[in-house]
Every structure is written in structure tokens, then in C-alpha cells.
């Protein structure tokens, strides 16, 4: 592995501020970020990457490679929750297994934007269609998680007459705030073209890294708080989470090789596959699978998967992709 790249990633301001946020909890500082500010930062990041993705789509004609990548995104979004559910079922009940499977099947937008900042620092870029792929990957896992939970109840004769409220579930999956702002900004960025990009660039790009840094400070605080729950999730869940990450990365890298994605697009795709949702899926699970314990799926996604990805995962995936492409 390129340790220089790994060290540069750790010394990157957003990652350092993630550690600084963790220190707030460990050193019992009185620093607080309000829920409203945290929500604004989350929506801003989604708006920015969506708008930039739309602008890139406007500049680049759609090619067969792009279609294959979007198909690969949909495949992983459906395959990951199904196989991971059965891994978790070895030790957990169906509700918690389904919620965890949904989290791994969906994606972390913050991991995505952190990887984008890493790429930019090395002079690489990703194309706009990969943002559309990210939007496609967020929702299917939510629906599949609920279906897996209901199938588990039926098998165990629990609430056998309980119905899936499809209208509410699909609305939550496809029109949640994160999906809505991401897809909406993607469309606006595409329709407004170059003039729209020039108008919004000071907001969507120039201050992007600063607000990402502040948001990772907030996520560091959240991650450190959830780490208190690591003793409760146990070694099985820690080991299973890491194993699923490795499986997803291997499959994703194979797909990038088959499709022959450029390194920038390939890294973003691998990062999406390796990440786990700690915003969209937990919000949906509270309503659709209330029996699932939030301290389990939130802790795994936020305190295990997220830190591993942003600290060592992104530079490691980048190095592997460079090696197999013959660049390194």
C-alpha cells in the first residue's frame, strides 16, 4: 500500500477534524453542534454533489460504460442486503439482521464526498453519472430490509397477518430528504448547464471542503458517542461488519475491472459498495422495523464501517485500483 497516500489522507483537514470530533467525547469537552446545523450540513453536501454530478452529466455524453456502471450499482444495492442478512441471522434475530442488512445495502453519502475530496487532492475526478448511481443505491436496500423482516416474521409465525404498508415504505425510500435533494440537485445541475454551474460554483465548490470539514467534526462526535455501544454489539458483529466490507470491496473491484471504469469512477463505486448508511436507513427502520435495536445498526455503520473507510479504506482501495490498472 502507498503509505504516503494513507498518511496524506489521515492528515487531510476533514479527516483530522473527524478525530477532533471524537476528542470532544473522549475529553468531555462542552463543544456542541445543534441538530439544525448538522441537518443543514448534510443537505448542503447532498445538494453540492448532486449539482456537480448534474453538471458533469451535462458535459459528458452518456456511454455504454455508464449504463453498465448503473446496472452494477443496482446489482450491489440488491445483492448486498440479501446475502448479509443471512450472515447476521447466524447470531441475531430477523429484525436486527434485516436492519443491518439494509444499512450495508444502502450507502453513506459522507464517505462518498470524502472519497471525492481525496481523489481531487491527487488530480483525479469522477464523472457525474456515478452520482446517479449513488442515488440508485440508497433506496432498494430499505425496501429489501423490510421484506426480509416480514419474511422472517412469517417463518417464525410472528405477526403473520402484519402487512407491509407499501405506500408509506416506498415514499420513505424514494422521497426521503436525502434522496429527494440529491436527485433534485442532479436534475437541476443537468438542466441549468454551464451557466447554472458558473452561477452556483462559489457555493457548490469553493466552500465545499470547508463545510465537509465541519460536518466530519460533527460525525466524529456522533461516532465517538456510538463507540460506547461497541461492547454491546460484540465481536461477532465487529467481525461480520469487516467481513462484509471486504466481500463488497472484492466484488466491486472485480466489477470495475470487468466494466473497465476509469480510476476515479472506480474508486467512487468501490467506496459506495464498502459503505453503510447511518442516516437514511436508520430513519426508515425506526418506522418500518421498530423491533430492531438502533444501538446495533447505528453503532456498526457509524463507529465501525465509517471510520475504517475514511481513515484507511479510501487510500487502500485507491492503491489497489491503481495496481490492477497498471498505474502504480
Amino acid at each position: 500500500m502507498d503509505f504516503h497516500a494513507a498518511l496524506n489522507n489521515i492528515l487531510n483537514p476533514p479527516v483530522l477534524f473527524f478525530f477532533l470530533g471524537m476528542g470532544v467525547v473522549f475529553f468531555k469537552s462542552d463543544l456542541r453542534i445543534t441538530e439544525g446545523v448538522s441537518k443543514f450540513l448534510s443537505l448542503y453536501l447532498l445538494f453540492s454533489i448532486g449539482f456537480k454530478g448534474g453538471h458533469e452529466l451535462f458535459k459528458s455524453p452518456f456511454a455504454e460504460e455508464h449504463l453498465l456502471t448503473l446496472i452494477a450499482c443496482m446489482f450491489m444495492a440488491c445483492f448486498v442486503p440479501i446475502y448479509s442478512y443471512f450472515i447476521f441471522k447466524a447470531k441475531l434475530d430477523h429484525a436486527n439482521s434485516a436492519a443491518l442488512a439494509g444499512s450495508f445495502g444502502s450507502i453513506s453519502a459522507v464517505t462518498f464526498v470524502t472519497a471525492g475530496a481525496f481523489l481531487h487532492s491527487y488530480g483525479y475526478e469522477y464523472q457525474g453519472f456515478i452520482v446517479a448511481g449513488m442515488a440508485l443505491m440508497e433506496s432498494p436496500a430499505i425496501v429489501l430490509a423490510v421484506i426480509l423482516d416480514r419474511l422472517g416474521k412469517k417463518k417464525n409465525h410472528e405477526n403473520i397477518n402484519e402487512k407491509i404498508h407499501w405506500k408509506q415504505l416506498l415514499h420513505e425510500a424514494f422521497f426521503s430528504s436525502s434522496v429527494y435533494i440529491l436527485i433534485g440537485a442532479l436534475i437541476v445541475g443537468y438542466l441549468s448547464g454551464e451557466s447554472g454551474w458558473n452561477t452556483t460554483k462559489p457555493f457548490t465548490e469553493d466552500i465545499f471542503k470547508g463545510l465537509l470539514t465541519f460536518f466530519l467534526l460533527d460525525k466524529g462526535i456522533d461516532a465517538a458517542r456510538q463507540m460506547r455501544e461497541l461492547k454491546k454489539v460484540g465481536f461477532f458483529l465487529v467481525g461480520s461488519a469487516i467481513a462484509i466490507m471486504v466481500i463488497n470491496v472484492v466484488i466491486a473491484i472485480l466489477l470495475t475491472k470487468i466494466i473497465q471504469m476509469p480510476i476515479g469512477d472506480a474508486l467512487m463505486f468501490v467506496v459506495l459498495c464498502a459503505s453503510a448508511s447511518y442516516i437514511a436507513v436508520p430513519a426508515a427502520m425506526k418506522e418500518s422495523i421498530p423491533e430492531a435495536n438502533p444501538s446495533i445498526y447505528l453503532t456498526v455503520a457509524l463507529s465501525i464501517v465509517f471510520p475504517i473507510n475514511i481513515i484507511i479504506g479510501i487510500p487502500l482501495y485507491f492503491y489497489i485500483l491503481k495496481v490492477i490498472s497498471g498505474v502504480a
Side-chain angles (χ1 to χ4, degrees), residues 119-242:
L119 269 180
H120 186 71
S121 68
Y122 280 88
Y124 289 85
E125 296 294 339
Y126 60 89
Q127 299 180 69
F129 74 93
I130 203 72
V131 178
M134 181 178 77
L136 287 174
M137 292 180 76
E138 187 155 23
S139 300
I142 295 173
V143 178
L144 283 170
V146 175
I147 292 173
L148 288 166
D149 173 63
R150 298 304 190 270
L151 290 175
K153 286 179 177 178
K154 187 174 182 180
K155 184 177 180 180
N156 296 333
H157 306 289
E158 302 173 21
N159 298 322
I160 197 166
N161 294 321
E162 184 177 347
K163 295 180 180 179
I164 300 175
H165 299 288
W166 286 108
K167 184 177 180 180
Q168 178 183 344
L169 175 61
L170 293 174
H171 187 274
E172 178 67 30
F174 294 102
F175 292 98
S176 63
S177 60
S178 58
V179 176
Y180 188 82
I181 191 68
L182 180 65
I183 295 177
L186 185 78
I187 294 171
V188 172
Y190 178 78
L191 293 176
S192 59
E194 202 65 37
S195 62
W197 173 252
N198 291 333
T199 301
T200 61
K201 187 179 178 182
F203 184 68
T204 53
E205 184 162 293
D206 294 349
I207 65 171
F208 179 83
K209 195 166 185 178
L211 291 181
L212 170 63
T213 300
F214 202 72
F215 187 65
L216 282 178
L217 170 70
D218 181 40
K219 290 302 105 182
I221 297 171
D222 290 343
R225 285 174 180 161
Q226 289 297 137
M227 280 182 180
R228 297 170 180 171
E229 304 291 328
L230 281 177
K231 292 181 181 179
K232 296 180 182 179
V233 303
F235 289 110
F236 167 75
L237 278 178
V238 175
S240 297
I242 295 173

Side-chain angles (χ1 to χ4, degrees), residues 309-322:
N309 272 321
I310 69 165
I311 296 168
I312 62 171
I314 292 170
L316 177 60
Y317 311 150
F318 183 64
Y319 173 74
I320 294 171
L321 290 167
K322 286 175 68 179

Side-chain angles (χ1 to χ4, degrees), residues 72-81 105 137 248 251-252 255 269 273:
C73 289
M74 285 299 295
F75 167 74
M76 292 299 286
C78 296
F79 175 67
V80 172
M137 292 180 76
N248 291 349
I251 295 173
L255 288 171
F269 175 70
C273 295

Side-chain angles (χ1 to χ4, degrees), residues 8-185:
N8 281 347
N9 184 60
I10 292 173
L11 296 179
N12 210 10
V15 178
L16 287 175
F17 268 83
F18 177 79
F19 290 127
L20 190 67
M22 296 180 74
V24 169
V25 176
F26 297 149
F27 300 121
K28 299 181 180 178
S29 169
D30 62 354
L31 175 63
R32 296 290 181 271
I33 296 176
T34 64
E35 184 178 348
V37 171
S38 180
K39 182 68 174 177
F40 164 76
L41 291 171
S42 176
L43 290 175
Y44 166 78
L45 293 177
L46 290 166
F47 160 75
S48 294
I49 59 177
F51 198 90
K52 182 179 179 181
H55 174 246
E56 292 298 323
L57 282 175
F58 173 80
K59 293 196 303 181
S60 306
F62 195 81
E64 181 183 357
E65 169 213 322
H66 303 159
L67 177 61
L68 292 174
T69 302
L70 294 180
I71 292 172
C73 289
M74 285 299 295
F75 167 74
M76 292 299 286
C78 296
F79 175 67
V80 172
I82 293 172
Y83 92 78
S84 58
Y85 171 79
F86 292 102
I87 291 177
F88 293 125
K89 271 288 287 176
K91 291 283 186 181
L92 301 176
D93 59 80
H94 56 79
N96 283 303
S97 298
L100 277 164
S103 183
F104 274 93
S106 188
I107 54 91
S108 164
V110 181
T111 310
F112 181 89
V113 297
T114 307
F118 174 88
L119 269 180
H120 186 71
S121 68
Y122 280 88
Y124 289 85
E125 296 294 339
Y126 60 89
Q127 299 180 69
F129 74 93
I130 203 72
V131 178
M134 181 178 77
L136 287 174
M137 292 180 76
E138 187 155 23
S139 300
I142 295 173
V143 178
L144 283 170
V146 175
I147 292 173
L148 288 166
D149 173 63
R150 298 304 190 270
L151 290 175
K153 286 179 177 178
K154 187 174 182 180
K155 184 177 180 180
N156 296 333
H157 306 289
E158 302 173 21
N159 298 322
I160 197 166
N161 294 321
E162 184 177 347
K163 295 180 180 179
I164 300 175
H165 299 288
W166 286 108
K167 184 177 180 180
Q168 178 183 344
L169 175 61
L170 293 174
H171 187 274
E172 178 67 30
F174 294 102
F175 292 98
S176 63
S177 60
S178 58
V179 176
Y180 188 82
I181 191 68
L182 180 65
I183 295 177

